[in-house]
Amino acid sequence: GEDVEQSLFLSVREGDSSVINCTYTDSSSTYLYWYKQEPGAGLQLLTYIFSNMDMKQDQRLTVLLNKKDKHLSLRIADTQTGDSAIYFCAETGGYQKVTFGTGTKLQVIP
Amino acid sequence: KAGVTQTPRYLIKTRGQQVTLSCSPISGHRSVSWYQQTPGQGLQFLFEYFSETQRNKGNFPGRFSGRQFSNSRSEMNVSTLELGDSALYLCASSGQESSNRNNSPLHFGNGTRLTVT
């Protein structure tokens, strides 16, 4: 079945870049997503990428997709304390059945 | 546009009771999905509805059920509650079109926090 893996924790200094990595298994995934969850809240869609793309940039966010290795990464430039949250990578298996990773907790040190 | 609205935000129930959670999708969205989030299992897919029909279902027991109304609002029901059902239940809607198997992004509500004692 589908599986999505992420490291559990990342700590960076304010102003540095953060890179959150993810590997997935379903080669038929058409969309891959990054979501952000703050304490007590639901999931906020940050960005997504089509499987036929290699890269997508959206302001401070850059998504890189290596389809051969089934590796997805999210780079946050100039990381701020407000970026502290849990970040989920997710892949789709058709008809809105989305498989999420375990989440990476990003801690930003002032 | 208003986002996905889930009610109630918090619920406390006892074992053996049943519970109904409600979700109003973003206006114009016809697909509604439900997810369970727990510290141990993470985010797990429950089911998805489109135009009042369940199109996809996760690996949950039959105690978990749902439905969708003609206005796309959805409800989720859990019967005979168990302690392990304590979780954050998240609803998501999308602008998925029926003829397209490919997905459009999910937009989540803030969830209903269910505690079973």
Side-chain angles (χ1 to χ4, degrees), chain A residues 4 6 22-23 32-35 72 87-91 99-101:
Chain A
V4 180
Q6 300 177 240
C22 166
T23 56
L32 295 134
Y33 302 101
W34 284 103
Y35 284 88
L72 184 73
Y87 291 80
F88 291 92
C89 164
E91 64 171 355
T99 302
F100 288 87

Side-chain angles (χ1 to χ4, degrees), chain B residues 4-8 11 18-25 30-35 46-54 56-57 62-79 89-93 112:
Chain B
V4 177
T5 305
Q6 291 188 248
T7 56
L11 265 178
Q18 71 148 17
V19 67
T20 299
L21 313 182
S22 181
C23 173
S24 293
R30 292 194 289 167
S31 170
V32 174
S33 308
W34 288 90
Y35 288 79
L46 280 155
F47 27 65
E48 187 254 353
Y49 288 87
F50 184 93
S51 291
E52 302 178 67
T53 300
Q54 186 183 88
N56 213 339
K57 191 176 189 304
R63 299 185 297 107
F64 291 81
S65 63
R67 59 178 176 167
Q68 187 180 31
F69 302 95
S70 57
N71 62 358
S72 294
R73 193 176 70 83
S74 177
E75 287 182 348
M76 188 194 118
N77 185 276
V78 188
S79 61
Y89 289 89
L90 292 163
C91 169
S93 73
T112 294

Side-chain angles (χ1 to χ4, degrees), chain A residues 28 30-31 33 35 37 40-45 48 50 88 92-102, chain B residues 9 31 33 35 37 43 45 48 55-56 88 90 94 96 98 100-110:
Chain A
S28 67
T30 50
Y31 285 71
Y33 302 101
Y35 284 88
Q37 187 176 35
L43 274 68
Q44 174 194 351
L45 177 66
Y48 61 96
F50 296 102
F88 291 92
T92 57
Y95 293 124
Q96 305 305 80
K97 182 178 180 182
V98 179
T99 302
F100 288 87
T102 52
Chain B
R9 283 283 277 137
S31 170
S33 308
Y35 288 79
Q37 186 178 29
L43 280 151
F45 173 76
E48 187 254 353
R55 293 196 299 187
N56 213 339
L88 179 66
L90 292 163
S94 79
Q96 174 74 35
S98 63
N100 185 1
R101 183 189 183 275
N102 295 324
N103 294 272
S104 54
L106 298 177
H107 298 269
F108 284 85
N110 283 327

